[in-house]
Amino acid sequence: MVIGANPTDAHPVFASHMKRRLREGARLIVVDPRRIDLVRSAHVQADYHLPLLPGSNVAVINAFAHVIVTERLVDEPFVQERCETEAFEQWRKFVAEERNSPEATEAVSGVPAADLRAAARLYATGGNAAIYYGLGVTEHSQGSTMVMGMANLAMATGNLGKRGVGVNPLRGQNNVQGACDMGSFPHEFSGYRHVSDDAARHLFEEAWHVPLQNEPGLRISNMLDAACEGTFKGIYIEGEDIVQSDPNTQHVTAGMTAMECVVVQDLFLNETASYAHVFFPGSSFLEKDGTFTNAERRISRVRKAIPPMAGLADWEITMALSAALGYPMPYQHPSEIMDEIARLTPTFAGVSFDKIDELGSIQWPCNAKAPEGTPVMHIGGFVRGKGRFMITEFVPTEERTTGRFPLILTTGRILTQYNVGAQTARTENNVWHPEDILDIHPWDAENRGIREGDRVALTSRAGQTTLHARISERMQPGVVYTTFHHGFTGANVVTTEFEDWATGCPEYKVTAVEVCLAKRMSEWQENYLETRRETTQIQSKQILSGAAGD
């Protein structure tokens, strides 16, 4: 079951493996507002496509659970052996309520009750069942609730702790998993240990010889809020273009402008660099040694192919800055950083560059209990002990359609561009995707007098941008879609400040908007957009000719 992910565009290597399994006989359920390629393409067809309305994920997963509980499809031996029975009984009673039935939730989700019931039966009875999900799950105000709902479903059907099952996130960028593992959060150390954990915190204090706070720091959105209020003065941004990628662009730029010191470290002068007081050159993966960790917890080595063109690798620049601030770091090589990670993080205790080189790659946990790593998690028992079922009440997002903004915008990616285009938009990939396009259903387009290729204004309560329209049967009436790969489009000008209740992840996937034919742009606006396109094309040719350094 693929939920809120478009693997053929956003995760093409994984998608190729999935399509091979489908051709070999595996069956597929797609839960997505759009008719993505996996629904039907050459030699691949989903058994069920559930075109839910954006923002109704939790209602749909509760309806799945309702069918499994009320039709007695629960794996009772698994639940009794592996889960907290009291919490399970409370959850069973909750999802069995009529308000969670497919028929009751159809008005909210837009998914036909008969299709949802059939899909739920297939998931529960079709053998080993795996859920793969993407940012279409997490980039919602109830993203964390939805992840809990999927975990509930997997436990109830016994689809955890063996090969070919599980609840599997498809990460949005390379090494997102590795960054999370290393504590790239304001509230956790490496190995997902909270900063309030005295034992974990003391380990790092002893290793680093500094006192550490036991209260979480700020998330990006909170930093920007505090900057606008005048209480947050400086930021160091490495490998992230928040002016283009974060929601509510006007608020982001207001926060950046308010800061007294903005340091950006990146491969290219991106949109965020326009607000930097200091710019450090970044290094690519070809210019440094280290590791990447993918979505299956597999740690793989990255080996330097050429010396850093800027003179220093990323980690060396960070060390130099730290030393200038009065805290010198002793590392001579990335392998020494990996050794410290192993000393301070139980799940990585057995990991070293030498072992990765010996084995090729390692899936954590890797320690005395699993000296060569752990290919499958939760065999025989969960890491936390007994599995706990969580009540997942559906709470509609505060971002609602209105008479002024009657459509829902959702966003995503395309195969030929990557994320905010920092790298791919500087290549000849622009031949395939030179600008972000707005997909709109024929019914919505006809009602607004919009034809194929028309320039339209996309407006929300946060802002407005213009782009060209594409009439698409992939969409459902009332829902429009665009990508966010090109800075001159500025798709995130229209996204709002709503975020997940637990993680603070922005709610990119639900924005109330209106679409109408754009008024003729001024000569200045036309010239600006044309200049941006020409600049992108020139950069592409420079890179391909080896002249980018000039």
Side-chain angles (χ1 to χ4, degrees):
M1 180 155 61
V2 176
I3 306 178
N6 185 9
T8 54
D9 277 10
H11 305 89
V13 176
F14 166 76
S16 67
H17 288 282
M18 174 173 279
K19 287 189 286 187
R20 183 180 65 190
R21 285 291 297 118
L22 293 171
R23 290 192 293 270
E24 292 170 349
R27 304 180 71 180
L28 175 64
I29 302 164
V30 173
V31 185
D32 199 283
R34 302 167 62 230
R35 196 176 72 238
I36 61 175
D37 285 347
L38 281 179
V39 173
R40 186 174 184 180
S41 56
H43 309 295
V44 170
Q45 182 168 346
D47 289 80
Y48 299 100
H49 174 217
L50 308 183
L52 77 174
L53 291 170
S56 62
N57 287 352
V58 173
V60 167
I61 208 70
N62 285 345
F64 260 84
H66 177 92
V67 174
I68 287 165
V69 165
T70 58
E71 296 189 8
R72 299 183 179 181
L73 302 178
V74 172
D75 186 336
E76 297 286 355
F78 182 92
V79 171
Q80 293 300 317
E81 177 187 350
R82 300 281 300 271
C83 303
E84 296 178 1
T85 54
E86 183 178 350
F88 169 72
E89 293 302 333
Q90 293 172 349
W91 174 81
R92 189 206 299 260
K93 182 179 179 181
F94 162 72
V95 296
E97 294 175 11
E98 180 58 28
R99 64 194 175 104
N100 290 317
S101 70
E103 290 74 19
T105 58
E106 183 173 339
V108 172
S109 69
V111 176
D115 290 349
L116 196 151
R117 282 188 175 275
R121 292 171 188 141
L122 174 59
Y123 175 80
T125 64
N128 284 353
I131 297 173
Y132 295 95
Y133 70 93
L135 300 178
V137 162
T138 52
E139 291 179 348
H140 285 275
S141 59
Q142 277 204 293
S144 296
T145 307
M146 179 61 177
V147 174
M148 294 175 192
M150 293 185 296
N152 288 341
L153 197 67
M155 287 191 294
T157 54
N159 280 304
L160 287 166
K162 55 185 177 180
R163 290 183 62 84
V165 299
V167 181
N168 309 283
L170 299 176
R171 296 303 200 177
Q173 299 180 53
N174 61 314
N175 208 35
V176 165
Q177 183 67 53
C180 295
D181 295 343
M182 292 302 101
S184 295
F185 296 108
H187 65 288
E188 287 180 339
F189 296 116
S190 59
Y192 304 94
R193 290 165 293 170
H194 201 275
V195 295
S196 63
D197 181 336
D198 291 340
R201 194 174 65 259
H202 292 332
L203 278 176
F204 288 93
E205 288 178 333
E206 290 176 5
W208 295 344
H209 308 295
V210 292
L212 299 173
Q213 296 181 2
N214 62 359
E215 292 289 336
L218 300 178
R219 299 182 185 274
I220 294 176
S221 59
N222 306 126
M223 295 177 192
L224 295 168
D225 291 341
C228 291
E229 295 166 0
T231 59
F232 192 86
K233 303 295 186 179
I235 192 168
Y236 177 21
I237 302 171
E238 183 176 354
E240 190 82 4
D241 188 1
I242 66 172
V243 169
Q244 186 176 340
S245 66
D246 279 35
N248 197 348
T249 303
Q250 295 183 60
H251 180 60
V252 174
T253 56
M256 298 295 287
T257 303
M259 293 188 209
E260 295 178 2
C261 180
V262 175
V263 180
V264 172
Q265 181 174 332
D266 215 298
L267 296 175
F268 302 103
L269 289 169
N270 54 29
E271 300 294 321
T272 305
S274 302
Y275 297 85
H277 300 93
V278 179
F279 184 84
F280 293 151
S283 53
S284 72
F285 73 98
L286 293 168
E287 302 167 84
K288 56 192 174 189
D289 291 296
T291 63
F292 281 174
T293 307
N294 70 7
E296 59 173 350
R297 299 169 286 102
R298 186 180 298 280
I299 309 166
S300 299
R301 284 274 281 112
V302 180
R303 297 172 178 83
K304 182 167 61 177
I306 60 173
M309 295 178 68
L312 297 175
D314 287 340
W315 66 279
E316 293 174 310
I317 292 173
T318 302
M319 283 179 53
L321 177 61
S322 180
L325 291 169
Y327 182 77
M329 296 180 181
Y331 315 114
Q332 299 297 314
H333 188 269
S335 62
E336 296 179 7
I337 302 174
M338 186 73 253
D339 291 341
E340 180 185 277
I341 293 166
R343 287 196 303 273
L344 299 177
T345 313
T347 50
F348 288 82
V351 179
S352 67
F353 276 24
D354 288 343
K355 180 171 281 189
I356 297 173
D357 288 340
E358 176 189 347
L359 300 177
S361 63
I362 298 172
Q363 289 171 272
W364 63 260
C366 177
N367 47 33
K369 294 181 180 179
E372 295 191 355
T374 308
V376 180
M377 290 282 284
H378 310 305
I379 293 178
F382 297 119
V383 174
R384 73 176 301 274
K386 295 284 188 177
R388 175 178 294 176
F389 284 80
M390 304 295 291
I391 302 299
T392 53
E393 287 280 2
F394 169 59
V395 179
T397 174
E398 294 182 42
E399 179 72 355
R400 310 287 178 83
T401 55
T402 64
R404 185 181 176 190
F405 303 115
L407 303 174
I408 288 291
L409 168 72
T410 190
T411 61
R413 304 180 182 189
I414 198 166
L415 177 63
T416 51
Q417 296 287 357
Y418 180 68
N419 208 37
V420 295
Q423 298 168 73
T424 54
R426 289 175 164 85
T427 72
E428 289 198 348
N429 283 21
N430 292 321
V431 171
W432 290 285
H433 192 268
E435 60 183 313
D436 297 312
I437 301 292
L438 185 76
D439 286 350
I440 184 170
H441 188 272
W443 191 86
D444 292 322
E446 183 177 353
N447 283 346
R448 291 162 174 79
I450 295 170
R451 295 177 296 182
E452 181 77 14
D454 280 346
R455 179 167 287 281
V456 296
L458 176 68
T459 309
S460 73
R461 60 181 178 81
Q464 181 186 85
T465 188
T466 59
L467 20 62
H468 289 103
R470 176 168 55 205
I471 314 301
S472 175
E473 292 280 359
R474 287 175 178 257
M475 307 308 300
Q476 55 180 296
V479 180
V480 294
Y481 170 88
T482 190
T483 52
F484 51 89
H485 298 303
H486 295 278
F488 60 81
T489 303
N492 280 318
V493 167
V494 302
T495 50
T496 61
E497 76 282 2
F498 293 124
E499 58 188 24
D500 176 72
W501 63 270
T503 66
C505 181
E507 189 174 43
Y508 292 107
K509 303 306 183 188
V510 184
T511 305
V513 298
E514 178 58 295
V515 178
C516 62
L517 285 169
K519 296 179 181 177
R520 181 171 178 79
M521 290 189 292
S522 69
E523 184 178 350
W524 181 89
Q525 289 173 310
E526 291 280 11
N527 290 340
Y528 171 75
L529 289 175
E530 186 59 33
T531 300
R532 290 299 299 270
R533 292 190 185 95
E534 289 176 357
T535 300
T536 300
Q537 292 170 359
I538 291 169
Q539 290 170 331
S540 301
K541 292 176 181 177
Q542 286 178 332
I543 288 173
L544 292 172
S545 66
D550 299 336

